[in-house]
Amino acid sequence: MKFSTKAVHSGYYPTNNSSDNVPIYRTSAYVFDNTDFAADLFSLKKPGNIYSRMMNPTQAVLEERVAALEGGKAALALSSGTSAIFYTIINICKEGDEIISSSKLYGGTYTMLASILPEFGIKTVFVDSNNPENFDKATTSKTKLYFTETIGNPVLDVADIKAISVVAKKNNIPLAVDSTFTTPYIFRPLEYGADIVIHSLTKWIGGHDNGLGGIVVDGGKFDWKDKKFELYNKPDASYNNLMFSSLPETIPPFITRLRVVPLRNLGACISPDSAWLFIQGIATLPLRMDKHCANAMKIAEFLKNHPRVKWVRYPGLKTDPSWDLASKYYNGKFGGMVVFGIDNGLQGGKKFIDSLKLITHVANVGDIKTLAIHPASTTHSQMSEKEQEEAGLMPDLVRLSIGIEDADDIIEDIDQALKNS
Ligand SMILES: *Cc1c(COP(=O)(O)O)cnc(C)c1O
């Protein structure tokens, strides 16, 4: 099936019940046929539902659909993009291990890596991902994971996933990619050598500002038998002394452990109602993304030619530093995010946002509505000035997430707000 067909059909088989649309299974638990059957489920000898903290049939449709869209082996949906990133990390790293990450990250992810995880003995080395060699240079015997975003927050630098994955393979380190800003419609990191793909479903995949969720997709190709991945190569006391690297071929170790260890015991599960909303969102993802991308291109061009605008970043502009990589990887579609700076700096940026009428001022991105925020004073305000500078976050930067309204109306609102700022 092609992408748009998968977005409507994958993962749902209406043969066992007559419901044409995916049902919402509002149940906490599942009936076991008998005690032997229950024992087989718990020991992973048979697949099946145990308890809705770990799995749910509505959630399973979402997981199979996103795995199909990404070209992955299997997926696990979680309560938020944030928990998807956190569980991915603790499903690979333990105390004493190191992560190498791009320094250009979503604010919450940066805080998790820079402040929270060190308290648990997991250290992150931040590198400028514009040079993939930096991942190689920073690698030590403690390195267990490479992490990057496809289009880095907040300056919209495009990561060279293929080049980073070559370094990852050389060092036998799994590469996890947060592809929230690209969605599988624009870019599929597994096709370029990434091992794990993460999305905040809250953004473009859901697309309607109506629920929180995250998902992790396992490419299924990484070899976890290397002894340096201790969590996979020692009998796991937290799960029946199972050795996750020696599961049968058909059971992918990473995503299976993610479900039965972090999710099962730490509990950031997605609700079936949210999973259902994301299934609805995915059906129109290709249509919405076409419009997000077309509108964003028009707005980027408008800003580029506006006398009050000092600079604009949009990977789709031929003059953008990321254009070469974006045009190589993104098949002519460059996402819905545009960032820019106004001539009177920080004050101008704040006044611009306060003058908007149609565009809403929110912390979210990836909604059908056009959204604006000033990251330096909000989403990235936990960073020091030096950290902001390293992440490429200028104090005057205004972040726009372009919606699917008529581009003329978005431009009119931006134009009047620029006049007032
Ligand atoms: C929003 C976002 C997250 C966090 O996702 P939540 O669903 O809000 O927890 C992570 N990464 C990126 C790139 C995001 O935009």
Side-chain angles (χ1 to χ4, degrees):
M1 285 191 283
K2 299 268 198 310
F3 191 92
S4 299
T5 316
K6 288 183 198 165
V8 174
H9 289 281
S10 286
Y12 184 51
Y13 312 96
T15 43
N16 294 334
N17 62 51
S18 53
S19 174
D20 182 40
N21 196 15
V22 178
I24 305 177
Y25 283 84
R26 283 201 181 119
T27 186
S28 316
Y30 304 88
V31 179
F32 303 129
D33 288 352
N34 54 55
T35 51
D36 286 344
F37 178 73
D40 284 349
L41 293 183
F42 275 86
S43 64
L44 303 179
K45 282 195 189 116
K46 283 199 179 121
N49 295 317
I50 299 175
Y51 187 60
S52 278
R53 192 185 329 109
M54 276 184 282
M55 68 276 279
N56 173 281
T58 310
Q59 173 188 347
V61 176
L62 171 66
E63 290 167 347
E64 192 172 331
R65 195 159 292 182
V66 175
L69 293 177
E70 287 289 0
K73 183 115 182 185
L76 177 68
L78 293 152
S79 63
S80 68
T82 303
S83 54
I85 295 167
F86 179 53
Y87 283 9
T88 294
I89 291 169
I90 61 165
N91 200 39
I92 298 172
C93 303
K94 57 186 212 27
E95 188 187 13
D97 289 343
E98 287 182 8
I99 300 165
I100 302 176
S101 171
S102 160
S103 57
K104 288 160 196 140
L105 295 172
Y106 179 75
T109 308
Y110 184 83
T111 307
M112 185 193 306
L113 294 173
S115 306
I116 314 285
L117 289 169
E119 304 277 0
F120 296 86
I122 299 171
K123 191 184 142 196
T124 297
V125 180
F126 293 100
V127 296
D128 178 357
S129 55
N130 286 345
N131 183 1
E133 285 288 297
N134 290 341
F135 283 84
D136 202 24
K137 281 190 210 133
T139 302
T140 71
S141 61
K142 292 179 181 165
T143 310
K144 299 291 157 63
L145 176 65
Y146 289 170
F147 184 85
T148 186
E149 294 176 2
T150 48
I151 301 183
N153 219 321
V155 285
L156 313 183
D157 277 335
V158 171
D160 191 342
I161 299 298
K162 175 83 204 160
I164 300 171
S165 85
V166 168
V167 178
K169 283 189 179 35
K170 183 185 127 197
N171 295 319
N172 199 32
I173 308 280
L175 170 61
V177 176
D178 180 339
S179 189
T180 302
F181 276 33
T182 29
T183 82
Y185 182 58
I186 294 183
F187 182 61
R188 290 175 293 282
L190 299 176
E191 291 175 3
Y192 295 90
D195 300 292
I196 297 157
V197 179
I198 301 171
H199 291 283
S200 166
L201 296 167
T202 319
K203 314 296 170 49
W204 290 268
I205 288 185
H208 294 75
D209 192 9
N210 57 10
L212 268 280
I215 198 157
V216 183
V217 183
D218 183 354
K221 294 202 180 119
F222 191 81
D223 181 10
W224 297 98
K225 286 202 164 68
D226 187 332
K227 293 279 179 284
K228 72 183 170 195
F229 299 106
E230 271 190 42
L231 300 180
Y232 292 80
N233 291 288
K234 270 189 181 165
D236 197 322
S238 70
Y239 205 84
N240 310 346
N241 282 325
L242 200 70
M243 184 113 96
F244 282 94
S245 66
S246 27
L247 287 167
E249 281 269 306
T250 50
I251 307 182
F254 171 78
I255 208 80
T256 304
R257 192 181 187 281
L258 194 67
R259 190 184 298 278
V260 301
V261 181
L263 176 59
R264 177 180 186 231
N265 302 295
L266 302 175
C269 54
I270 192 167
S271 88
D273 292 75
S274 297
W276 187 87
L277 286 167
F278 296 131
I279 292 167
Q280 307 306 299
I282 288 170
T284 59
L285 179 68
L287 301 173
R288 285 184 290 107
M289 286 317 290
D290 281 342
K291 182 83 172 172
H292 282 296
C293 295
N295 277 356
M297 183 67 103
K298 284 187 191 161
I299 277 106
E301 271 163 359
F302 169 79
L303 289 168
K304 197 174 151 241
N305 297 320
H306 199 287
R308 296 287 316 281
V309 174
K310 254 193 341 203
W311 58 269
V312 191
R313 289 288 311 263
Y314 181 62
L317 291 174
K318 288 210 170 74
T319 48
D320 193 89
S322 278
W323 193 80
D324 280 348
L325 281 172
S327 57
K328 175 172 155 195
Y329 286 127
Y330 296 167
N331 200 21
K333 304 212 159 54
F334 303 100
M337 298 298 295
V338 178
V339 297
F340 70 101
I342 306 181
D343 53 9
N344 31 3
L346 175 66
Q347 283 316 315
K350 287 173 89 174
K351 263 189 118 178
F352 170 82
I353 286 173
D354 288 333
S355 306
L356 291 168
K357 294 189 173 128
L358 173 74
I359 299 174
T360 44
H361 179 201
V362 298
N364 195 17
V365 294
D367 181 31
I368 48 174
K369 300 184 290 299
T370 299
L371 318 170
I373 202 159
H374 177 247
S377 63
T378 57
T379 56
H380 289 68
S381 58
Q382 288 90 345
M383 295 170 120
S384 69
E385 256 173 52
K386 186 168 168 283
E387 287 169 330
Q388 288 192 358
E389 203 183 298
E390 273 166 15
L393 173 54
M394 296 68 102
D396 63 344
L397 182 144
V398 173
R399 184 178 85 182
L400 296 175
S401 171
I402 305 299
I404 62 169
E405 304 98 330
D406 193 295
D408 290 346
D409 291 325
I410 304 169
I411 287 174
E412 192 180 312
D413 195 32
I414 293 174
D415 197 30
Q416 67 79 23
L418 280 171
K419 286 196 181 100
N420 285 321
S421 50

